[in-house]
Amino acid sequence: MSFSADWLTLREPFDRRARNVAVLDAVASAFSRRPSVSVVDLACGTGSTLRALTERLPKTQAWRLVDNDLGLLARAASLAAPPTRTVSAVAIDLARDLEFALDGPIELVTTSALLDLVSQDWLERLVTEVAARGLPVYAALSYDGLATLDPVDPLDGAVIGAVNQHQRTDKGFGPALGPAAAATAPERFRAVGYAVNEGPSDWVFATKDADIQRDILNGWAAAAREMGGLSIDEIIGWLTRRHDLIAAGRSAMRVGHVDFFATPTGTR
Ligand SMILES: C[S@@+](CC[C@H](N)C(=O)[O-])C[C@H]1O[C@@H](n2cnc3c(N)ncnc32)[C@H](O)[C@@H]1O
């Protein structure tokens, strides 16, 4: 599955605003007494997690940015680095070579908007591999399946239902956890003795946030079409009504996400 740099750029300010501050504070506090930190960011895209976290970590930072999309990696690699921060961009297919991404002198694993794309098996692999290395994990922006549109349209429920079904299809890691990732991932880390600090990180789009609403709703319409439960006429009718509301400055949306920071406790 590919993600365009334009889409990641459009969503980044909303992701940034949505990231749970208490969870970010927990990450910062875990490293506040260290002189330096080495981070691997899994599925880095253009580097939004680095940008969200860098000011909260010790000044001396080494980032390994991992993705399998070379175009996104090239953008991430060109991040202007202050002298105290090194950034290396590494092309890895995480579905195949997760272990390779985690090897070496890593002290913190980060990721965002990834865990809803992965399968239960891949999540188990991640949990096993990071637990074996005793690494803390900051995972942001996992979709939780709860989306609301204002004003309500009679077909919203059916479209969102189809989107949630689509979220569970294979995104390159096997059948995806989709909305289940938000609850399952923290639970799996607790099961191996991690302490988990978690909180909501919902996208909240106001009436003025027209471009991102339009992009998301177009994507939802495409997902509903693929799932096949609604007719094309129903989907086009729904999308037209929603676009009209956006154009009239009357559409608002909330899309649920969860962030967590999981740290090994050594009790297992
Ligand atoms: C929703 S984007 C999130 C990007 C970034 N973390 C962010 O929050 O902006 C998902 C990312 O996963 C990457 N990805 C998908 N499948 C992958 C795989 N098999 N191996 C490595 N990266 C993958 C995509 O290239 C994309 O950058």
Short mmCIF file of all heavy atoms in Angstrom, two decimals, residues 1 7 116-117 143-149 155-171 176-180 203 213-230 235 238-239 242 253-257:
data_model
loop_
_atom_site.label_atom_id
_atom_site.label_comp_id
_atom_site.label_asym_id
_atom_site.label_seq_id
_atom_site.Cartn_x
_atom_site.Cartn_y
_atom_site.Cartn_z
N MET A 1 0.85 -1.20 0.00
CA MET A 1 0.00 0.00 0.00
C MET A 1 0.89 1.24 0.00
O MET A 1 1.86 1.30 0.74
CB MET A 1 -0.84 -0.04 1.28
CG MET A 1 -1.71 1.14 1.47
SD MET A 1 -3.08 0.80 2.55
CE MET A 1 -4.14 2.15 2.13
N TRP A 7 -0.31 13.61 0.72
CA TRP A 7 -1.28 13.23 1.75
C TRP A 7 -0.65 13.32 3.14
O TRP A 7 -1.24 13.87 4.08
CB TRP A 7 -1.83 11.82 1.47
CG TRP A 7 -2.46 11.16 2.67
CD1 TRP A 7 -2.05 10.03 3.30
CD2 TRP A 7 -3.60 11.62 3.42
NE1 TRP A 7 -2.86 9.76 4.38
CE2 TRP A 7 -3.81 10.72 4.48
CE3 TRP A 7 -4.45 12.73 3.30
CZ2 TRP A 7 -4.85 10.87 5.40
CZ3 TRP A 7 -5.48 12.89 4.24
CH2 TRP A 7 -5.67 11.96 5.26
N ASP A 116 -2.53 0.21 12.74
CA ASP A 116 -3.83 -0.23 12.19
C ASP A 116 -3.66 -0.89 10.81
O ASP A 116 -4.57 -1.53 10.31
CB ASP A 116 -4.84 0.92 12.14
CG ASP A 116 -4.25 2.23 11.68
OD1 ASP A 116 -3.34 2.21 10.82
OD2 ASP A 116 -4.67 3.28 12.19
N LEU A 117 -2.46 -0.77 10.23
CA LEU A 117 -2.20 -1.40 8.92
C LEU A 117 -1.67 -2.83 9.07
O LEU A 117 -1.64 -3.58 8.10
CB LEU A 117 -1.15 -0.60 8.14
CG LEU A 117 -1.42 0.86 7.84
CD1 LEU A 117 -0.22 1.47 7.12
CD2 LEU A 117 -2.67 1.02 7.01
N TYR A 143 -5.85 4.33 14.39
CA TYR A 143 -7.30 4.57 14.20
C TYR A 143 -8.11 3.60 15.05
O TYR A 143 -7.79 2.40 15.08
CB TYR A 143 -7.62 4.38 12.71
CG TYR A 143 -9.09 4.44 12.35
CD1 TYR A 143 -9.87 5.55 12.68
CD2 TYR A 143 -9.69 3.40 11.63
CE1 TYR A 143 -11.21 5.60 12.32
CE2 TYR A 143 -11.02 3.45 11.27
CZ TYR A 143 -11.78 4.55 11.62
OH TYR A 143 -13.10 4.61 11.28
N ASP A 144 -9.16 4.11 15.73
CA ASP A 144 -9.94 3.23 16.61
C ASP A 144 -11.33 2.89 16.08
O ASP A 144 -12.13 2.28 16.79
CB ASP A 144 -10.02 3.81 18.03
CG ASP A 144 -10.86 5.08 18.10
OD1 ASP A 144 -11.45 5.48 17.07
OD2 ASP A 144 -10.95 5.66 19.20
N GLY A 145 -11.63 3.31 14.84
CA GLY A 145 -12.91 2.92 14.23
C GLY A 145 -14.06 3.85 14.54
O GLY A 145 -15.17 3.66 14.03
N LEU A 146 -13.83 4.87 15.38
CA LEU A 146 -14.93 5.76 15.78
C LEU A 146 -14.81 7.07 15.00
O LEU A 146 -13.90 7.86 15.25
CB LEU A 146 -14.87 6.03 17.29
CG LEU A 146 -14.97 4.77 18.15
CD1 LEU A 146 -14.75 5.09 19.62
CD2 LEU A 146 -16.33 4.10 17.94
N ALA A 147 -15.72 7.25 14.07
CA ALA A 147 -15.70 8.49 13.28
C ALA A 147 -17.09 9.09 13.32
O ALA A 147 -18.09 8.38 13.24
CB ALA A 147 -15.30 8.16 11.84
N THR A 148 -17.15 10.41 13.46
CA THR A 148 -18.45 11.09 13.44
C THR A 148 -18.39 12.29 12.51
O THR A 148 -17.36 12.98 12.43
CB THR A 148 -18.86 11.57 14.85
OG1 THR A 148 -17.79 12.33 15.41
CG2 THR A 148 -19.22 10.42 15.76
N LEU A 149 -19.49 12.50 11.82
CA LEU A 149 -19.59 13.62 10.88
C LEU A 149 -20.73 14.53 11.34
O LEU A 149 -21.75 14.05 11.83
CB LEU A 149 -19.90 13.09 9.48
CG LEU A 149 -18.92 12.06 8.91
CD1 LEU A 149 -19.39 11.58 7.54
CD2 LEU A 149 -17.55 12.68 8.79
N LEU A 155 -26.56 8.13 5.35
CA LEU A 155 -25.66 7.05 4.90
C LEU A 155 -24.30 7.04 5.61
O LEU A 155 -23.47 6.16 5.35
CB LEU A 155 -25.43 7.13 3.39
CG LEU A 155 -26.50 6.49 2.50
CD1 LEU A 155 -25.98 6.37 1.07
CD2 LEU A 155 -26.93 5.12 3.01
N ASP A 156 -24.06 7.99 6.53
CA ASP A 156 -22.74 8.03 7.20
C ASP A 156 -22.40 6.69 7.85
O ASP A 156 -21.28 6.18 7.70
CB ASP A 156 -22.72 9.11 8.30
CG ASP A 156 -22.73 10.52 7.76
OD1 ASP A 156 -22.52 10.71 6.54
OD2 ASP A 156 -22.96 11.45 8.57
N GLY A 157 -23.37 6.13 8.58
CA GLY A 157 -23.11 4.89 9.33
C GLY A 157 -22.70 3.76 8.38
O GLY A 157 -21.75 3.02 8.67
N ALA A 158 -23.41 3.65 7.26
CA ALA A 158 -23.10 2.56 6.31
C ALA A 158 -21.72 2.77 5.68
O ALA A 158 -20.95 1.81 5.49
CB ALA A 158 -24.18 2.51 5.23
N VAL A 159 -21.38 4.02 5.36
CA VAL A 159 -20.06 4.29 4.74
C VAL A 159 -18.96 4.02 5.77
O VAL A 159 -17.97 3.34 5.46
CB VAL A 159 -19.98 5.73 4.20
CG1 VAL A 159 -18.57 6.06 3.74
CG2 VAL A 159 -20.97 5.94 3.07
N ILE A 160 -19.14 4.52 6.98
CA ILE A 160 -18.09 4.31 8.00
C ILE A 160 -17.95 2.82 8.32
O ILE A 160 -16.84 2.31 8.50
CB ILE A 160 -18.39 5.15 9.27
CG1 ILE A 160 -18.25 6.65 8.92
CG2 ILE A 160 -17.45 4.79 10.42
CD1 ILE A 160 -18.85 7.60 9.94
N GLY A 161 -19.08 2.11 8.31
CA GLY A 161 -19.02 0.65 8.51
C GLY A 161 -18.19 -0.02 7.42
O GLY A 161 -17.36 -0.90 7.69
N ALA A 162 -18.39 0.43 6.18
CA ALA A 162 -17.61 -0.14 5.07
C ALA A 162 -16.13 0.22 5.19
O ALA A 162 -15.25 -0.60 4.90
CB ALA A 162 -18.18 0.37 3.74
N VAL A 163 -15.87 1.44 5.63
CA VAL A 163 -14.47 1.86 5.81
C VAL A 163 -13.81 0.98 6.87
O VAL A 163 -12.67 0.50 6.69
CB VAL A 163 -14.41 3.35 6.25
CG1 VAL A 163 -13.01 3.73 6.73
CG2 VAL A 163 -14.85 4.26 5.11
N ASN A 164 -14.51 0.72 7.95
CA ASN A 164 -13.92 -0.10 9.02
C ASN A 164 -13.69 -1.53 8.57
O ASN A 164 -12.72 -2.18 8.98
CB ASN A 164 -14.79 -0.04 10.28
CG ASN A 164 -14.67 1.32 10.96
OD1 ASN A 164 -13.76 2.10 10.65
ND2 ASN A 164 -15.59 1.62 11.85
N GLN A 165 -14.57 -2.00 7.69
CA GLN A 165 -14.38 -3.34 7.10
C GLN A 165 -13.14 -3.32 6.19
O GLN A 165 -12.30 -4.21 6.23
CB GLN A 165 -15.63 -3.60 6.25
CG GLN A 165 -16.07 -5.02 6.13
CD GLN A 165 -17.22 -5.07 5.08
OE1 GLN A 165 -17.98 -4.10 4.90
NE2 GLN A 165 -17.33 -6.19 4.41
N HIS A 166 -13.03 -2.25 5.39
CA HIS A 166 -11.89 -2.11 4.48
C HIS A 166 -10.58 -2.03 5.26
O HIS A 166 -9.55 -2.54 4.83
CB HIS A 166 -12.08 -0.86 3.62
CG HIS A 166 -11.10 -0.76 2.49
ND1 HIS A 166 -9.83 -0.21 2.64
CD2 HIS A 166 -11.18 -1.16 1.20
CE1 HIS A 166 -9.19 -0.28 1.48
NE2 HIS A 166 -9.98 -0.85 0.59
N GLN A 167 -10.64 -1.37 6.41
CA GLN A 167 -9.44 -1.23 7.25
C GLN A 167 -8.86 -2.58 7.66
O GLN A 167 -7.70 -2.67 8.02
CB GLN A 167 -9.79 -0.46 8.53
CG GLN A 167 -10.04 1.02 8.32
CD GLN A 167 -8.76 1.81 8.42
OE1 GLN A 167 -7.93 1.53 9.27
NE2 GLN A 167 -8.58 2.78 7.55
N ARG A 168 -9.69 -3.61 7.63
CA ARG A 168 -9.22 -4.93 8.07
C ARG A 168 -8.68 -5.77 6.92
O ARG A 168 -8.25 -6.90 7.13
CB ARG A 168 -10.35 -5.67 8.79
CG ARG A 168 -10.90 -4.85 9.96
CD ARG A 168 -11.52 -5.68 11.01
NE ARG A 168 -10.56 -6.57 11.64
CZ ARG A 168 -10.50 -6.84 12.94
NH1 ARG A 168 -11.34 -6.26 13.76
NH2 ARG A 168 -9.63 -7.68 13.42
N THR A 169 -8.69 -5.23 5.72
CA THR A 169 -8.13 -5.98 4.58
C THR A 169 -6.60 -5.87 4.61
O THR A 169 -6.03 -5.06 5.34
CB THR A 169 -8.68 -5.46 3.23
OG1 THR A 169 -8.33 -4.08 3.10
CG2 THR A 169 -10.20 -5.59 3.16
N ASP A 170 -5.97 -6.68 3.80
CA ASP A 170 -4.50 -6.78 3.82
C ASP A 170 -3.84 -5.51 3.29
O ASP A 170 -4.09 -5.09 2.15
CB ASP A 170 -4.10 -7.99 2.95
CG ASP A 170 -2.63 -8.36 3.11
OD1 ASP A 170 -1.83 -7.50 3.52
OD2 ASP A 170 -2.29 -9.52 2.81
N LYS A 171 -2.98 -4.91 4.10
CA LYS A 171 -2.26 -3.70 3.68
C LYS A 171 -0.77 -4.00 3.50
O LYS A 171 0.07 -3.11 3.61
CB LYS A 171 -2.45 -2.58 4.73
CG LYS A 171 -3.90 -2.26 5.09
CD LYS A 171 -4.61 -1.56 3.94
CE LYS A 171 -5.99 -1.01 4.31
NZ LYS A 171 -6.99 -2.00 4.71
N ALA A 176 -5.32 -6.90 8.13
CA ALA A 176 -4.95 -5.80 9.04
C ALA A 176 -5.81 -5.78 10.29
O ALA A 176 -6.99 -6.13 10.25
CB ALA A 176 -5.07 -4.47 8.30
N LEU A 177 -5.22 -5.34 11.39
CA LEU A 177 -5.97 -5.15 12.63
C LEU A 177 -6.99 -4.04 12.46
O LEU A 177 -8.04 -4.05 13.10
CB LEU A 177 -5.01 -4.78 13.77
CG LEU A 177 -4.21 -5.94 14.36
CD1 LEU A 177 -3.06 -5.40 15.19
CD2 LEU A 177 -5.11 -6.83 15.21
N GLY A 178 -6.70 -3.06 11.63
CA GLY A 178 -7.64 -1.95 11.44
C GLY A 178 -8.01 -1.33 12.78
O GLY A 178 -7.14 -1.16 13.64
N PRO A 179 -9.30 -1.04 12.98
CA PRO A 179 -9.72 -0.36 14.21
C PRO A 179 -9.39 -1.14 15.48
O PRO A 179 -9.32 -0.56 16.56
CB PRO A 179 -11.24 -0.25 14.04
CG PRO A 179 -11.50 -0.39 12.60
CD PRO A 179 -10.41 -1.24 12.03
N ALA A 180 -9.19 -2.47 15.37
CA ALA A 180 -8.89 -3.26 16.57
C ALA A 180 -7.50 -2.95 17.13
O ALA A 180 -7.20 -3.23 18.30
CB ALA A 180 -8.99 -4.75 16.26
N TRP A 203 -8.40 13.02 15.48
CA TRP A 203 -8.40 14.13 14.53
C TRP A 203 -9.70 14.91 14.75
O TRP A 203 -10.79 14.29 14.80
CB TRP A 203 -8.48 13.60 13.10
CG TRP A 203 -7.21 13.19 12.47
CD1 TRP A 203 -5.95 13.53 12.81
CD2 TRP A 203 -7.11 12.34 11.30
NE1 TRP A 203 -5.06 12.94 11.93
CE2 TRP A 203 -5.75 12.22 11.00
CE3 TRP A 203 -8.04 11.70 10.49
CZ2 TRP A 203 -5.28 11.47 9.93
CZ3 TRP A 203 -7.59 10.96 9.43
CH2 TRP A 203 -6.22 10.84 9.15
N GLN A 213 -10.81 17.23 4.90
CA GLN A 213 -12.11 16.53 4.96
C GLN A 213 -12.43 15.94 3.58
O GLN A 213 -12.85 14.78 3.47
CB GLN A 213 -13.22 17.49 5.36
CG GLN A 213 -13.14 17.95 6.81
CD GLN A 213 -14.45 18.57 7.28
OE1 GLN A 213 -15.52 17.98 7.14
NE2 GLN A 213 -14.38 19.77 7.83
N ARG A 214 -12.20 16.74 2.54
CA ARG A 214 -12.51 16.27 1.18
C ARG A 214 -11.67 15.03 0.84
O ARG A 214 -12.18 14.04 0.35
CB ARG A 214 -12.22 17.39 0.18
CG ARG A 214 -13.41 17.70 -0.70
CD ARG A 214 -13.12 18.81 -1.68
NE ARG A 214 -13.61 20.09 -1.19
CZ ARG A 214 -12.87 21.13 -0.83
NH1 ARG A 214 -11.56 21.09 -0.91
NH2 ARG A 214 -13.42 22.23 -0.40
N ASP A 215 -10.39 15.09 1.16
CA ASP A 215 -9.50 13.95 0.86
C ASP A 215 -9.95 12.69 1.59
O ASP A 215 -9.98 11.59 1.02
CB ASP A 215 -8.07 14.28 1.32
CG ASP A 215 -7.15 14.53 0.16
OD1 ASP A 215 -7.58 15.23 -0.76
OD2 ASP A 215 -6.02 14.01 0.20
N ILE A 216 -10.26 12.86 2.85
CA ILE A 216 -10.64 11.68 3.65
C ILE A 216 -11.96 11.11 3.14
O ILE A 216 -12.09 9.89 2.97
CB ILE A 216 -10.73 12.07 5.14
CG1 ILE A 216 -9.31 12.26 5.67
CG2 ILE A 216 -11.46 10.99 5.95
CD1 ILE A 216 -9.23 12.79 7.07
N LEU A 217 -12.91 11.98 2.88
CA LEU A 217 -14.21 11.46 2.43
C LEU A 217 -14.11 10.80 1.05
O LEU A 217 -14.76 9.79 0.79
CB LEU A 217 -15.26 12.59 2.43
CG LEU A 217 -15.54 13.14 3.84
CD1 LEU A 217 -16.45 14.37 3.76
CD2 LEU A 217 -16.16 12.10 4.75
N ASN A 218 -13.26 11.34 0.18
CA ASN A 218 -13.03 10.68 -1.12
C ASN A 218 -12.46 9.28 -0.89
O ASN A 218 -12.86 8.32 -1.56
CB ASN A 218 -12.06 11.48 -1.99
CG ASN A 218 -12.66 12.80 -2.48
OD1 ASN A 218 -13.87 13.00 -2.39
ND2 ASN A 218 -11.82 13.70 -2.97
N GLY A 219 -11.53 9.18 0.03
CA GLY A 219 -10.94 7.87 0.35
C GLY A 219 -11.98 6.93 0.93
O GLY A 219 -12.00 5.73 0.61
N TRP A 220 -12.84 7.45 1.77
CA TRP A 220 -13.89 6.61 2.35
C TRP A 220 -14.84 6.12 1.26
O TRP A 220 -15.27 4.95 1.28
CB TRP A 220 -14.68 7.38 3.40
CG TRP A 220 -13.93 7.62 4.69
CD1 TRP A 220 -12.62 7.31 4.96
CD2 TRP A 220 -14.45 8.21 5.88
NE1 TRP A 220 -12.30 7.68 6.24
CE2 TRP A 220 -13.39 8.24 6.83
CE3 TRP A 220 -15.68 8.75 6.25
CZ2 TRP A 220 -13.55 8.76 8.11
CZ3 TRP A 220 -15.84 9.27 7.53
CH2 TRP A 220 -14.79 9.27 8.45
N ALA A 221 -15.16 6.99 0.32
CA ALA A 221 -16.06 6.58 -0.79
C ALA A 221 -15.41 5.45 -1.59
O ALA A 221 -16.07 4.46 -1.96
CB ALA A 221 -16.37 7.78 -1.68
N ALA A 222 -14.11 5.58 -1.84
CA ALA A 222 -13.41 4.53 -2.60
C ALA A 222 -13.41 3.21 -1.82
O ALA A 222 -13.61 2.13 -2.40
CB ALA A 222 -11.97 4.97 -2.89
N ALA A 223 -13.21 3.31 -0.51
CA ALA A 223 -13.21 2.09 0.32
C ALA A 223 -14.60 1.46 0.30
O ALA A 223 -14.73 0.23 0.17
CB ALA A 223 -12.80 2.44 1.74
N ALA A 224 -15.64 2.28 0.41
CA ALA A 224 -17.02 1.75 0.41
C ALA A 224 -17.31 1.08 -0.93
O ALA A 224 -17.95 0.02 -0.99
CB ALA A 224 -18.01 2.88 0.68
N ARG A 225 -16.81 1.68 -1.99
CA ARG A 225 -17.02 1.08 -3.32
C ARG A 225 -16.37 -0.31 -3.39
O ARG A 225 -16.95 -1.27 -3.88
CB ARG A 225 -16.42 2.00 -4.38
CG ARG A 225 -16.60 1.48 -5.77
CD ARG A 225 -15.90 2.37 -6.76
NE ARG A 225 -16.24 1.97 -8.12
CZ ARG A 225 -15.78 2.54 -9.20
NH1 ARG A 225 -14.96 3.56 -9.10
NH2 ARG A 225 -16.12 2.12 -10.39
N GLU A 226 -15.13 -0.38 -2.88
CA GLU A 226 -14.42 -1.67 -2.91
C GLU A 226 -15.13 -2.74 -2.09
O GLU A 226 -15.12 -3.91 -2.44
CB GLU A 226 -13.00 -1.50 -2.35
CG GLU A 226 -11.95 -1.27 -3.39
CD GLU A 226 -10.55 -1.29 -2.78
OE1 GLU A 226 -10.15 -2.31 -2.21
OE2 GLU A 226 -9.88 -0.25 -2.87
N MET A 227 -15.73 -2.33 -0.99
CA MET A 227 -16.38 -3.32 -0.12
C MET A 227 -17.68 -3.84 -0.74
O MET A 227 -18.12 -4.94 -0.45
CB MET A 227 -16.65 -2.71 1.27
CG MET A 227 -15.41 -2.51 2.10
SD MET A 227 -14.54 -4.09 2.45
CE MET A 227 -13.22 -4.04 1.31
N GLY A 228 -18.33 -2.99 -1.58
CA GLY A 228 -19.45 -3.47 -2.38
C GLY A 228 -20.80 -3.53 -1.70
O GLY A 228 -21.78 -3.96 -2.32
N GLY A 229 -20.93 -3.12 -0.47
CA GLY A 229 -22.23 -3.18 0.22
C GLY A 229 -23.20 -2.07 -0.17
O GLY A 229 -24.41 -2.19 0.04
N LEU A 230 -22.68 -0.99 -0.72
CA LEU A 230 -23.52 0.13 -1.14
C LEU A 230 -23.44 0.27 -2.65
O LEU A 230 -22.40 -0.04 -3.25
CB LEU A 230 -23.01 1.44 -0.50
CG LEU A 230 -23.17 1.57 1.02
CD1 LEU A 230 -22.31 2.71 1.55
CD2 LEU A 230 -24.64 1.83 1.37
N ILE A 235 -23.25 5.78 -3.05
CA ILE A 235 -21.96 6.36 -2.62
C ILE A 235 -21.77 7.75 -3.23
O ILE A 235 -21.38 8.70 -2.54
CB ILE A 235 -20.79 5.42 -3.02
CG1 ILE A 235 -20.91 4.09 -2.27
CG2 ILE A 235 -19.44 6.08 -2.71
CD1 ILE A 235 -19.97 3.01 -2.76
N TRP A 238 -24.05 10.22 -1.50
CA TRP A 238 -23.53 10.55 -0.17
C TRP A 238 -22.35 11.52 -0.28
O TRP A 238 -22.29 12.55 0.41
CB TRP A 238 -23.09 9.25 0.53
CG TRP A 238 -22.34 9.48 1.82
CD1 TRP A 238 -22.88 9.74 3.05
CD2 TRP A 238 -20.92 9.49 1.99
NE1 TRP A 238 -21.88 9.90 3.98
CE2 TRP A 238 -20.67 9.75 3.36
CE3 TRP A 238 -19.84 9.29 1.13
CZ2 TRP A 238 -19.37 9.83 3.88
CZ3 TRP A 238 -18.55 9.37 1.66
CH2 TRP A 238 -18.32 9.64 3.02
N LEU A 239 -21.41 11.19 -1.21
CA LEU A 239 -20.20 12.01 -1.34
C LEU A 239 -20.56 13.42 -1.83
O LEU A 239 -19.99 14.42 -1.36
CB LEU A 239 -19.22 11.33 -2.30
CG LEU A 239 -17.82 11.92 -2.37
CD1 LEU A 239 -17.14 11.95 -0.99
CD2 LEU A 239 -16.94 11.13 -3.35
N ARG A 242 -21.93 15.38 1.05
CA ARG A 242 -20.87 15.74 2.02
C ARG A 242 -19.98 16.84 1.44
O ARG A 242 -19.60 17.78 2.15
CB ARG A 242 -20.02 14.51 2.40
CG ARG A 242 -20.81 13.43 3.11
CD ARG A 242 -20.58 13.32 4.61
NE ARG A 242 -20.54 14.50 5.39
CZ ARG A 242 -21.33 14.75 6.45
NH1 ARG A 242 -22.24 13.89 6.85
NH2 ARG A 242 -21.20 15.86 7.15
N MET A 253 -15.76 17.13 11.43
CA MET A 253 -15.54 15.69 11.58
C MET A 253 -14.66 15.41 12.79
O MET A 253 -13.82 16.23 13.15
CB MET A 253 -14.75 15.12 10.37
CG MET A 253 -15.46 15.13 9.07
SD MET A 253 -14.35 14.60 7.70
CE MET A 253 -13.98 12.90 8.11
N ARG A 254 -14.85 14.24 13.36
CA ARG A 254 -13.93 13.72 14.38
C ARG A 254 -13.59 12.28 14.00
O ARG A 254 -14.50 11.50 13.67
CB ARG A 254 -14.57 13.76 15.76
CG ARG A 254 -13.71 13.14 16.86
CD ARG A 254 -14.40 13.20 18.21
NE ARG A 254 -14.29 14.51 18.81
CZ ARG A 254 -13.32 14.91 19.65
NH1 ARG A 254 -12.36 14.06 19.99
NH2 ARG A 254 -13.30 16.11 20.14
N VAL A 255 -12.32 11.95 13.98
CA VAL A 255 -11.90 10.59 13.64
C VAL A 255 -11.02 10.09 14.79
O VAL A 255 -9.98 10.69 15.09
CB VAL A 255 -11.11 10.56 12.30
CG1 VAL A 255 -10.70 9.13 11.96
CG2 VAL A 255 -11.95 11.16 11.17
N GLY A 256 -11.46 9.01 15.42
CA GLY A 256 -10.81 8.55 16.65
C GLY A 256 -9.46 7.86 16.43
O GLY A 256 -9.30 7.06 15.50
N HIS A 257 -8.50 8.20 17.27
CA HIS A 257 -7.19 7.55 17.28
C HIS A 257 -6.73 7.37 18.72
O HIS A 257 -7.25 8.04 19.63
CB HIS A 257 -6.14 8.41 16.56
CG HIS A 257 -6.34 8.58 15.10
ND1 HIS A 257 -7.00 9.65 14.56
CD2 HIS A 257 -5.96 7.83 14.04
CE1 HIS A 257 -7.02 9.55 13.24
NE2 HIS A 257 -6.40 8.44 12.90
#
